[in-house]
Amino acid sequence: MIGLISATAAGAAARDRLVAAWPARTRVYDGPVGEAVRRAFAECEQLVCFLATGAVVRVVAPLLGDKTSDPGVVCVDEAGRFAVSLVGGHGGGANELAREVGELLGAEPVVTTATDAVGLPGLDTLGFPVEGDVAGVSRALLDGEAVVLDAEVSWPLPPLPVAAEGRYAIRLTDRLVEPGEREVVLRPPSLVVGVGASRNAPVEEVLGLVRGALRDAGLSAKSVAELATVDAKADEPGIVEAAARLGVPLVTYSAGELATVEVPNPSDAPLAAVGTPSVAEAAALVGGGELLVPKRKSAARPAMATCAVVRRPARGRLAVVGLGPGARDLLTPRAKDELRRASVLVGLDQYVDQIRDLLRPGTRVLESGLGAEEERARTAVAEARRGHAVALIGSGDAGVYAMASPALAEASDDIDVVGVPGVTAALAAGAILGAPLGHDHVSISLSDLHTPWEVIERRVRAAAEADIVVTFYNPRSRGRDWQLPKALAILAGHREPTTPVGVVRNASRADESSRLTTLTGLDPATVDMMTVVTVGNTATREIAGRMVTPRGYRWQEESE
């Protein structure tokens, strides 16, 4: 919950905008300001104070305890110009909250946390349990000192500027080790513990078995991602409570699913009880991985619990990101987040140049030239399979004549794939022209490098006969100069010579140009590969210099 405190009418007005935007996330604290801040500090995870930072500092200073548990505090000035992350930038989420508040109120977020200021991910914000010299290693990263990444477990990480040798180290491990001097240990969620239990098995027996198995194998309980068992034990109190105490989810599988998993130690007892020859080992191995601790029974007599531990394979992450038509303000916030999250960026060299300044230090960039689309797709998928967080970029929307389809054709279910939509060239050009896509429309690429011309021609003819607005991508190049005249001729067989045609080159970029012409007035020689050509249907009109296709066909009916 976010506590909101204000003292003036201007502050209350800004406060109410947050309430309207986040009704389920916010709570207003009225009354004397000092008392309101103190109550919110005790009751909420975060605070937004529409007060001077000095006043808030004086009130919260005696309340501060530990940065891992204190709420995040953001201050917004009287004029609503700045949203200042004051306390709990990382642990309390104040840095991100300042950005959210700034976006809603039109205020500038002020974040002074050193790592955030220079674009480095905070070691305590990676979503992993962290131990050791966080401050020292973070300072080394900020100062440009050599920091070594010792990844004993392959796991997706954001970009970090690491070196082969150095005095400082980041160790990524699920082993039960203590951090060394000048070292940070990150615990990835790499372990799955399969659990079986007799009815009414005590939680102490289940939990003691799990902790003992991990300890004896030299594994950290902080790297346990989940407890897993059979559906029949989903409500078994000892298992449910053990998962709760470990702070991990309980995942269940049907007996049929578990029966198909090959295990080293099957048994007749669980087969008779729940319908599968293995519960602990099978539940841990469902997603694959390395069996580190085979089935193990609790020490009680009779033993009422079993467990097994598996190190699951790291799932790399592939984000296919649409960069939009080129203008920075048409690059979506989600796309920016994915670019900053990726430790590996794959893309066409000219697209990489567009967003290079957004990449975090340490991002590995794999760029190539025109014509290497399939190679880039294979490279991106291969890097994700190695356990990296990868961003594969394309212009416009990555799913429209871009990189999503070749990448997903290469990918399988061994990696996580995220699609990030972008503003397409057709949409950017349409906004410049007016509203040419107001009714049914289709996009057709005239490039026959991957599609036979006979197929393209059939599609153009179908669009012409169906009276659909057509946007032509890849309309003309030096080696393909006859396809656009042919396509226009097909449309001319079904539409009037005066049908509006919009031509936009480099939509949204610094050298953008656009013009309206007609079906017979368009000179194909003025069109190139950086151009989008939109041909209206029989209802499209030019109105006040804009190309407009009505949502219905009333205009056409009135003109008949």
Side-chain angles (χ1 to χ4, degrees), residues 45 64 81 83 91 113 148 185-186 197 208 228 233 252 256 282 306 310 335 368 384 392 409 413 443 508 516 559:
E45 291 81 21
L64 296 176
R81 295 173 300 171
T113 307
V148 177
V185 173
L186 299 176
K233 297 297 179 178
T252 64
T306 60
V310 164
S368 53
L392 174 62
D413 62 359
S443 295
S508 87
L516 279 182
S559 65

Side-chain angles (χ1 to χ4, degrees), residues 5-8 11 33-34 37 48-56 59 74-78:
I5 303 97
S6 60
T8 66
V33 167
V37 172
V48 178
C49 301
F50 297 88
L51 305 164
T53 54
V56 178
V59 175
V74 171
C75 289
V76 179
D77 65 292
E78 179 74 6

Side-chain angles (χ1 to χ4, degrees), residues 164-195:
E165 296 180 354
R167 295 190 305 145
Y168 294 85
I170 300 170
R171 188 191 300 192
L172 185 69
T173 182
D174 56 18
R175 294 190 302 113
L176 190 60
V177 296
E178 291 295 324
E181 187 179 3
R182 301 191 185 95
E183 182 179 66
V184 163
V185 173
L186 299 176
R187 305 289 188 189
S190 55
L191 304 178
V192 177
V193 179
V195 177

